[in-house]
Coordinates of all heavy atoms in Angstrom, one line a residue:
M40 N -13.4 85.3 128.0 CA -12.5 84.3 128.6 C -13.4 83.2 129.2 O -14.3 83.5 130.0 CB -11.6 84.9 129.6 CG -10.6 83.9 130.2 SD -9.5 84.4 131.4 CE -8.4 85.5 130.3
D41 N -13.1 81.9 128.9 CA -13.9 80.8 129.5 C -12.9 80.2 130.5 O -11.9 80.6 130.7 CB -14.4 79.8 128.5 CG -13.3 79.2 127.6 OD1 -12.2 79.2 128.2 OD2 -13.6 78.8 126.6
C42 N -13.5 79.1 131.1 CA -12.8 78.5 132.3 C -11.6 77.7 131.9 O -10.6 77.8 132.6 CB -13.7 77.5 133.0 SG -15.2 78.2 133.7
V43 N -11.5 77.2 130.7 CA -10.3 76.6 130.1 C -9.2 77.6 130.0 O -8.1 77.4 130.4 CB -10.6 75.8 128.8 CG1 -9.3 75.3 128.3 CG2 -11.6 74.7 129.0
D44 N -9.4 78.7 129.4 CA -8.5 79.7 129.2 C -8.0 80.2 130.7 O -6.8 80.4 130.8 CB -9.0 81.0 128.5 CG -9.3 80.7 127.1 OD1 -8.6 79.8 126.5 OD2 -10.1 81.4 126.4
F45 N -8.8 80.4 131.6 CA -8.5 80.8 132.9 C -7.6 79.9 133.5 O -6.6 80.4 134.0 CB -9.9 80.8 133.8 CG -9.7 81.4 135.2 CD1 -10.0 82.7 135.3 CD2 -9.3 80.6 136.1 CE1 -9.7 83.2 136.6 CE2 -9.1 81.1 137.4 CZ -9.3 82.4 137.6
V46 N -7.8 78.6 133.4 CA -6.9 77.7 134.1 C -5.5 77.7 133.4 O -4.5 77.7 134.1 CB -7.6 76.2 134.0 CG1 -6.4 75.2 134.4 CG2 -8.8 76.1 134.9
E47 N -5.5 77.9 132.1 CA -4.3 77.9 131.5 C -3.5 79.2 131.8 O -2.2 79.2 131.7 CB -4.5 77.9 129.9 CG -4.7 76.5 129.4 CD -5.0 76.4 128.0 OE1 -5.0 77.4 127.4 OE2 -5.2 75.3 127.6
L48 N -4.1 80.2 132.3 CA -3.6 81.5 132.4 C -3.1 81.8 133.9 O -2.5 82.7 134.3 CB -4.3 82.8 131.9 CG -4.4 82.7 130.4 CD1 -5.4 83.8 130.0 CD2 -3.1 83.1 129.8
V49 N -3.6 80.9 134.8 CA -3.5 81.1 136.3 C -1.9 81.3 136.5 O -1.6 82.2 137.3 CB -4.0 79.8 137.1 CG1 -3.4 79.9 138.5 CG2 -5.5 80.0 137.1
T50 N -1.0 80.5 136.0 CA 0.3 80.6 136.3 C 0.9 82.0 135.8 O 1.6 82.6 136.6 CB 1.2 79.5 135.6 OG1 0.6 78.2 135.8 CG2 2.5 79.5 135.9
D51 N 0.6 82.4 134.7 CA 1.0 83.7 134.2 C 0.5 84.8 135.1 O 1.2 85.7 135.5 CB 0.4 84.0 132.8 CG 1.1 83.2 131.7 OD1 2.2 82.5 132.1 OD2 0.7 83.3 130.6
F52 N -0.7 84.7 135.6 CA -1.4 85.7 136.4 C -0.6 85.8 137.8 O -0.2 86.9 138.3 CB -2.8 85.3 136.8 CG -3.5 86.3 137.7 CD1 -3.8 87.6 137.3 CD2 -3.8 85.9 138.9 CE1 -4.5 88.4 138.2 CE2 -4.4 86.7 139.9 CZ -4.7 88.0 139.4
L53 N -0.3 84.6 138.4 CA 0.3 84.5 139.7 C 1.9 85.0 139.5 O 2.4 85.6 140.5 CB 0.3 83.2 140.3 CG -1.1 82.7 140.8 CD1 -1.0 81.3 141.3 CD2 -1.7 83.7 141.9
E54 N 2.4 84.9 138.4 CA 3.8 85.4 138.2 C 3.8 86.8 137.7 O 4.8 87.4 137.6 CB 4.5 84.5 137.2 CG 4.8 83.2 137.6 CD 5.4 82.3 136.4 OE1 5.2 82.7 135.3 OE2 6.0 81.2 136.8
G55 N 2.6 87.4 137.5 CA 2.5 88.8 137.0 C 3.1 89.0 135.6 O 3.6 90.0 135.2
A56 N 3.1 87.8 134.9 CA 3.6 87.9 133.5 C 2.5 88.0 132.5 O 2.8 87.7 131.3 CB 4.4 86.5 133.3
M57 N 1.4 88.5 132.8 CA 0.2 88.5 131.9 C 0.1 89.9 131.3 O 0.2 90.9 132.0 CB -1.0 88.1 132.7 CG -2.2 87.9 131.9 SD -3.7 87.5 132.9 CE -3.3 85.9 133.3
P58 N -0.1 89.9 130.0 CA -0.4 91.3 129.3 C -1.6 91.9 130.0 O -2.5 91.1 130.5 CB -0.7 90.9 127.9 CG -0.1 89.7 127.7 CD 0.0 88.9 129.0
Q59 N -1.6 93.3 130.1 CA -2.7 93.9 130.8 C -4.1 93.6 130.2 O -4.9 93.4 131.2 CB -2.5 95.5 130.6 CG -2.7 96.3 131.9 CD -2.2 97.7 131.9 OE1 -2.0 98.2 130.8 NE2 -1.9 98.2 133.0
D60 N -4.2 93.4 129.0 CA -5.6 93.1 128.4 C -6.1 91.7 128.9 O -7.2 91.6 129.3 CB -5.5 93.1 127.0 CG -5.7 94.5 126.4 OD1 -5.9 95.4 127.1 OD2 -5.8 94.6 125.1
D61 N -5.1 90.7 128.9 CA -5.5 89.5 129.3 C -5.8 89.5 130.8 O -6.7 88.8 131.4 CB -4.3 88.5 129.1 CG -4.2 88.0 127.7 OD1 -5.2 88.4 126.9 OD2 -3.3 87.4 127.3
E62 N -5.0 90.3 131.6 CA -5.2 90.3 133.0 C -6.6 90.9 133.3 O -7.3 90.5 134.4 CB -4.1 91.1 133.8 CG -4.1 91.1 135.2 CD -2.9 91.9 135.9 OE1 -3.1 93.1 136.0 OE2 -2.0 91.3 136.1
R63 N -7.0 91.9 132.6 CA -8.4 92.4 132.9 C -9.5 91.4 132.6 O -10.4 91.2 133.3 CB -8.5 93.7 131.9 CG -9.8 94.4 132.1 CD -9.8 95.7 131.4 NE -9.5 95.5 129.9 CZ -10.2 94.9 128.9 NH1 -11.5 94.5 129.3 NH2 -9.7 94.7 127.9
R64 N -9.3 90.6 131.4 CA -10.3 89.6 131.1 C -10.2 88.5 132.3 O -11.3 87.9 132.5 CB -10.0 89.0 129.7 CG -10.3 90.1 128.6 CD -10.3 89.4 127.3 NE -9.0 88.8 127.0 CZ -8.8 87.6 126.5 NH1 -9.9 86.9 126.3 NH2 -7.7 87.2 126.3
F65 N -9.1 88.2 132.6 CA -8.9 87.1 133.7 C -9.6 87.5 135.1 O -10.4 86.8 135.6 CB -7.3 87.0 134.0 CG -7.0 85.9 135.0 CD1 -6.6 84.7 134.5 CD2 -7.0 86.2 136.4 CE1 -6.3 83.7 135.4 CE2 -6.6 85.2 137.2 CZ -6.2 84.0 136.8
I66 N -9.5 88.8 135.5 CA -10.1 89.3 136.6 C -11.6 89.4 136.4 O -12.5 89.1 137.3 CB -9.5 90.7 137.1 CG1 -8.1 90.4 137.5 CG2 -10.3 91.4 138.2 CD1 -7.4 91.6 137.8
E67 N -12.0 89.8 135.2 CA -13.5 89.8 134.9 C -14.1 88.4 135.0 O -15.2 88.3 135.7 CB -13.8 90.4 133.5 CG -13.6 91.9 133.4 CD -13.7 92.4 132.0 OE1 -13.9 91.5 131.1 OE2 -13.5 93.6 131.8
H68 N -13.4 87.4 134.5 CA -13.9 86.1 134.6 C -13.9 85.6 136.1 O -15.0 85.0 136.5 CB -13.1 85.1 133.9 CG -13.7 83.7 133.8 ND1 -14.7 83.3 133.0 CD2 -13.3 82.7 134.7 CE1 -14.9 82.0 133.3 NE2 -14.1 81.6 134.3
L69 N -12.9 86.0 136.8 CA -12.9 85.7 138.2 C -14.0 86.1 139.0 O -14.6 85.6 139.9 CB -11.6 86.2 138.9 CG -11.2 85.8 140.2 CD1 -10.9 84.3 140.2 CD2 -9.9 86.5 140.6
A70 N -14.5 87.4 138.6 CA -15.6 88.1 139.3 C -17.0 87.4 139.0 O -17.9 87.4 139.8 CB -15.7 89.5 138.9
V71 N -17.1 86.7 137.9 CA -18.4 86.1 137.6 C -18.4 84.6 137.7 O -19.4 84.0 137.6 CB -18.8 86.5 136.1 CG1 -19.0 87.9 136.1 CG2 -17.8 86.0 135.2
C72 N -17.3 84.0 138.0 CA -17.1 82.5 138.1 C -16.7 81.9 139.4 O -15.5 81.9 139.6 CB -16.4 82.0 136.9 SG -16.2 80.3 136.7
P73 N -17.6 81.5 140.3 CA -17.2 81.0 141.6 C -16.3 79.8 141.5 O -15.4 79.6 142.4 CB -18.5 80.6 142.2 CG -19.5 81.3 141.4 CD -19.1 81.5 140.1
G74 N -16.4 79.0 140.5 CA -15.5 77.8 140.4 C -14.1 78.2 140.2 O -13.2 77.6 140.7
C75 N -13.8 79.2 139.3 CA -12.5 79.7 139.0 C -12.0 80.4 140.2 O -10.7 80.3 140.5 CB -12.5 80.5 137.7 SG -12.6 79.5 136.3
E76 N -12.9 81.1 141.0 CA -12.3 81.8 142.0 C -11.8 80.8 143.1 O -10.8 80.9 143.7 CB -13.5 82.6 142.8 CG -13.1 83.5 143.9 CD -14.1 84.3 144.5 OE1 -15.4 84.0 144.1 OE2 -13.8 85.3 145.1
R77 N -12.6 79.6 143.3 CA -12.1 78.6 144.1 C -10.8 78.0 143.6 O -9.9 77.6 144.5 CB -13.2 77.6 144.4 CG -14.4 78.1 145.2 CD -15.5 77.1 145.4 NE -15.0 75.9 146.1 CZ -15.7 74.8 146.4 NH1 -16.9 74.8 146.1 NH2 -15.2 73.9 147.1
Y78 N -10.8 77.8 142.3 CA -9.5 77.2 141.7 C -8.3 78.0 142.1 O -7.3 77.5 142.5 CB -9.7 77.1 140.3 CG -8.5 76.5 139.6 CD1 -8.2 75.1 139.6 CD2 -7.7 77.3 138.9 CE1 -7.2 74.6 139.0 CE2 -6.5 76.8 138.3 CZ -6.3 75.4 138.3 OH -5.3 75.0 137.7
L79 N -8.5 79.4 141.9 CA -7.4 80.2 142.2 C -6.9 80.2 143.6 O -5.8 80.1 144.0 CB -7.7 81.6 141.7 CG -6.6 82.6 141.9 CD1 -5.4 82.3 141.0 CD2 -7.1 84.1 141.6
D80 N -7.9 80.1 144.5 CA -7.6 80.1 146.0 C -6.9 78.8 146.2 O -5.9 78.8 147.0 CB -8.9 80.1 146.8 CG -9.4 81.4 147.1 OD1 -8.7 82.4 146.7 OD2 -10.5 81.5 147.6
Q81 N -7.4 77.7 145.7 CA -6.8 76.4 145.9 C -5.2 76.4 145.4 O -4.3 75.8 146.0 CB -7.5 75.3 145.2 CG -7.3 73.9 145.6 CD -8.1 73.7 147.0 OE1 -8.8 74.5 147.4 NE2 -7.7 72.5 147.6
Y82 N -5.1 77.0 144.3 CA -3.8 77.0 143.7 C -2.8 77.9 144.6 O -1.8 77.4 144.8 CB -4.0 77.8 142.3 CG -2.9 77.4 141.2 CD1 -3.3 76.5 140.3 CD2 -1.6 77.9 141.3 CE1 -2.3 76.0 139.3 CE2 -0.7 77.6 140.2 CZ -1.1 76.6 139.3 OH -0.1 76.2 138.4
R83 N -3.3 78.9 145.1 CA -2.4 79.7 145.9 C -2.2 79.0 147.2 O -1.0 79.1 147.7 CB -3.2 81.1 146.3 CG -3.2 82.1 145.3 CD -3.6 83.4 145.8 NE -3.5 84.6 145.0 CZ -4.5 85.4 144.6 NH1 -5.7 85.2 144.9 NH2 -4.1 86.4 143.7
Q84 N -3.1 78.3 147.8 CA -2.9 77.5 149.0 C -1.9 76.4 148.7 O -1.1 76.1 149.6 CB -4.2 76.9 149.4 CG -5.0 77.8 150.3 CD -6.5 77.3 150.6 OE1 -6.6 76.0 150.7 NE2 -7.4 78.1 150.8
T85 N -2.0 75.8 147.6 CA -1.1 74.7 147.3 C 0.4 75.3 147.2 O 1.3 74.7 147.6 CB -1.3 74.1 146.0 OG1 -2.6 73.6 146.0 CG2 -0.3 73.0 145.5
I86 N 0.5 76.6 146.6 CA 1.9 77.1 146.6 C 2.3 77.4 148.1 O 3.4 77.2 148.3 CB 1.7 78.5 145.8 CG1 1.4 78.2 144.3 CG2 3.1 79.2 145.9 CD1 1.0 79.3 143.5
A87 N 1.5 77.9 148.8 CA 1.8 78.2 150.2 C 2.1 77.0 151.0 O 3.2 77.0 151.8 CB 0.6 79.0 150.9
T88 N 1.4 75.9 150.8 CA 1.7 74.6 151.4 C 3.0 74.0 151.1 O 3.7 73.6 151.9 CB 0.5 73.6 151.1 OG1 -0.8 74.2 151.6 CG2 0.7 72.4 151.9
T89 N 3.3 74.0 149.8 CA 4.5 73.4 149.3 C 5.7 74.3 149.5 O 6.8 73.8 149.3 CB 4.4 73.0 147.8 OG1 4.2 74.3 147.0 CG2 3.3 72.0 147.6
G90 N 5.5 75.5 149.8 CA 6.5 76.5 150.0 C 7.3 77.0 148.8 O 8.4 77.5 148.9
E91 N 6.7 76.6 147.7 CA 7.3 77.0 146.4 C 7.0 78.4 146.0 O 5.8 78.9 146.2 CB 6.8 76.0 145.3 CG 7.2 74.6 145.4 CD 8.7 74.2 145.4 OE1 9.5 75.2 145.0 OE2 9.0 73.1 145.7
L92 N 8.0 79.1 145.5 CA 7.7 80.5 145.1 C 6.8 80.7 143.8 O 6.2 81.7 143.8 CB 9.1 81.2 145.0 CG 9.9 81.3 146.2 CD1 11.2 82.0 146.0 CD2 9.1 82.2 147.3
T93 N 7.0 79.8 143.0 CA 6.2 79.9 141.8 C 5.5 78.6 141.4 O 5.9 77.5 141.8 CB 7.2 80.2 140.5 OG1 7.8 79.1 140.2 CG2 8.1 81.3 140.8
P94 N 4.4 78.8 140.8 CA 3.5 77.6 140.5 C 4.2 76.6 139.6 O 3.7 75.6 139.4 CB 2.3 78.2 139.8 CG 2.4 79.7 140.0 CD 3.8 80.0 140.4
D95 N 5.2 77.1 138.8 CA 5.9 76.2 137.9 C 6.4 75.0 138.7 O 6.7 74.0 138.1 CB 7.1 76.9 137.3 CG 6.7 77.8 136.1 OD1 5.5 77.7 135.7 OD2 7.5 78.7 135.8
H96 N 6.7 75.1 139.9 CA 7.2 74.0 140.7 C 6.2 73.2 141.3 O 6.7 72.2 142.2 CB 8.2 74.6 141.7 CG 9.3 75.3 141.1 ND1 9.6 76.7 141.2 CD2 10.4 74.9 140.3 CE1 10.5 77.0 140.6 NE2 11.1 75.9 140.0
I97 N 4.9 73.4 141.1 CA 4.0 72.5 141.7 C 4.1 71.1 141.0 O 4.4 70.9 139.8 CB 2.5 73.0 141.3 CG1 2.4 74.2 142.2 CG2 1.4 71.9 141.7 CD1 0.9 74.9 142.0
S98 N 4.1 70.0 141.9 CA 4.3 68.8 141.4 C 3.1 68.3 140.6 O 2.0 68.9 140.6 CB 4.4 67.8 142.6 OG 3.1 67.6 143.2
P99 N 3.4 67.4 139.6 CA 2.4 67.0 138.6 C 1.2 66.4 139.4 O 0.1 66.5 139.0 CB 3.1 65.8 137.8 CG 4.5 66.1 137.9 CD 4.8 66.8 139.2
D100 N 1.5 65.8 140.6 CA 0.4 65.2 141.4 C -0.5 66.3 141.9 O -1.8 66.2 141.9 CB 0.9 64.4 142.7 CG 1.3 63.0 142.3 OD1 1.0 62.6 141.0 OD2 1.8 62.3 143.1
A101 N 0.0 67.3 142.4 CA -0.7 68.4 143.0 C -1.5 69.1 141.9 O -2.7 69.5 142.0 CB 0.3 69.4 143.7
R102 N -0.9 69.2 140.7 CA -1.6 69.9 139.6 C -2.8 69.0 139.2 O -3.9 69.5 138.9 CB -0.6 70.0 138.4 CG -1.0 70.9 137.3 CD 0.0 71.0 136.2 NE 1.2 71.8 136.7 CZ 1.4 73.1 136.5 NH1 0.4 73.7 135.9 NH2 2.4 73.6 137.0
R103 N -2.6 67.7 139.1 CA -3.7 66.8 138.7 C -4.8 67.0 139.7 O -6.0 66.9 139.4 CB -3.2 65.4 138.6 CG -4.1 64.5 137.7 CD -3.4 63.1 137.6 NE -2.0 63.1 137.3 CZ -1.1 62.5 138.0 NH1 -1.3 61.9 139.0 NH2 0.3 62.6 137.7
H104 N -4.4 66.9 141.1 CA -5.5 67.1 142.1 C -6.3 68.3 141.8 O -7.5 68.4 142.0 CB -4.8 67.0 143.4 CG -5.7 67.3 144.5 ND1 -6.5 66.3 145.1 CD2 -5.9 68.5 145.3 CE1 -7.2 67.0 146.1 NE2 -6.9 68.2 146.2
L105 N -5.7 69.4 141.6 CA -6.3 70.6 141.5 C -7.3 70.6 140.3 O -8.4 71.0 140.3 CB -5.4 71.8 141.2 CG -4.5 72.2 142.5 CD1 -3.5 73.3 142.1 CD2 -5.6 73.0 143.4
L106 N -6.7 70.1 139.1 CA -7.6 70.0 138.0 C -8.9 69.2 138.1 O -9.9 69.4 137.6 CB -6.8 69.5 136.7 CG -5.7 70.5 136.2 CD1 -4.9 70.0 135.2 CD2 -6.5 71.8 135.7
T107 N -8.6 68.0 138.9 CA -9.8 67.0 139.1 C -10.8 67.8 140.0 O -12.0 67.7 139.8 CB -9.2 65.9 139.9 OG1 -8.3 65.1 139.1 CG2 -10.3 64.9 140.2
A108 N -10.3 68.5 141.0 CA -11.2 69.3 141.9 C -12.0 70.4 141.2 O -13.1 70.6 141.3 CB -10.4 70.0 143.0
F109 N -11.2 70.9 140.2 CA -11.9 72.0 139.4 C -13.0 71.5 138.5 O -14.0 72.1 138.4 CB -10.7 72.6 138.4 CG -11.3 73.7 137.5 CD1 -11.7 74.9 138.1 CD2 -11.2 73.5 136.2 CE1 -12.2 76.0 137.4 CE2 -11.7 74.6 135.4 CZ -12.3 75.7 136.0
R110 N -12.8 70.3 138.1 CA -13.8 69.6 137.1 C -15.1 69.4 137.9 O -16.2 69.5 137.5 CB -13.3 68.5 136.4 CG -12.5 68.8 135.1 CD -12.3 67.5 134.2 NE -11.5 66.5 135.0 CZ -10.2 66.4 134.9 NH1 -9.5 67.3 134.1 NH2 -9.6 65.5 135.5
D111 N -14.8 68.9 139.2 CA -15.9 68.6 140.2 C -16.7 69.9 140.3 O -18.0 69.9 140.4 CB -15.4 68.1 141.5 CG -14.9 66.6 141.3 OD1 -15.2 66.1 140.3 OD2 -14.3 66.2 142.2
W112 N -16.1 71.0 140.7 CA -16.7 72.3 140.8 C -17.6 72.7 139.6 O -18.7 73.2 139.8 CB -15.8 73.5 141.1 CG -15.0 73.2 142.4 CD1 -15.3 72.5 143.5 CD2 -13.7 73.8 142.6 NE1 -14.4 72.5 144.4 CE2 -13.4 73.2 144.0 CE3 -12.8 74.4 141.9 CZ2 -12.1 73.5 144.6 CZ3 -11.5 74.7 142.6 CH2 -11.1 74.3 143.8
Q113 N -17.1 72.5 138.5 CA -17.8 72.9 137.2 C -19.0 72.0 137.1 O -20.0 72.6 136.6 CB -16.9 72.7 136.0 CG -15.9 73.8 135.8 CD -15.2 73.6 134.5 OE1 -14.7 72.6 134.1 NE2 -15.1 74.7 133.7
R114 N -19.0 70.8 137.6 CA -20.1 69.9 137.4 C -21.4 70.3 138.4 O -22.5 69.9 138.2 CB -19.7 68.4 137.8 CG -20.0 67.6 136.6 CD -19.6 66.2 136.9 NE -18.2 65.8 136.5 CZ -17.2 65.4 137.3 NH1 -17.5 65.1 138.4 NH2 -16.1 65.1 136.8
Q115 N -21.0 71.0 139.4 CA -22.0 71.4 140.4 C -23.0 72.5 139.9 O -22.5 73.3 139.1 CB -21.3 72.0 141.7 CG -20.7 70.7 142.5 CD -19.8 71.4 143.6 OE1 -19.8 72.6 143.9 NE2 -19.1 70.5 144.2
Ligands
LIG212 ZN1 -14.6 79.8 135.1

């Protein structure tokens, strides 16, 4: 799994809607990629801050902010 796949699967992961094989690869990537670990943290914090129960309800602005931050981390 690479970072692009990871980002696309974050929503499924947080909803528990991910097949077991994908979930294993997701967690494996999380363990070796600090950028994605931070992305997931940020994503969870955004959900907590907005009070939304599922990431589906994250506003387009918040999503764009997260993706921009994620690209900055990858550049480091
Ligand atoms: Zn990654």
Side-chain angles (χ1 to χ4, degrees):
M40 181 174 294
D41 61 22
C42 295
V43 174
D44 287 339
F45 185 95
V46 170
E47 282 178 357
L48 289 170
V49 162
T50 307
D51 285 351
F52 177 74
L53 291 175
E54 287 178 344
M57 191 183 279
Q59 224 166 20
D60 275 0
D61 283 353
E62 190 173 85
R63 186 172 45 78
R64 291 191 300 130
F65 185 92
I66 290 168
E67 278 171 8
H68 183 82
L69 191 61
V71 298
C72 186
C75 285
E76 191 181 10
R77 288 179 65 179
Y78 177 80
L79 183 61
D80 275 355
Q81 199 77 11
Y82 208 101
R83 282 191 169 126
Q84 274 172 30
T85 302
I86 294 166
T88 303
T89 58
E91 299 289 355
L92 291 177
T93 73
D95 281 346
H96 296 112
I97 291 179
S98 71
D100 274 357
R102 195 180 289 268
R103 202 176 314 121
H104 173 79
L105 285 172
L106 287 172
T107 302
F109 181 64
R110 277 196 297 271
D111 287 346
W112 294 332
Q113 279 187 316
R114 238 180 269 127
Q115 285 168 11

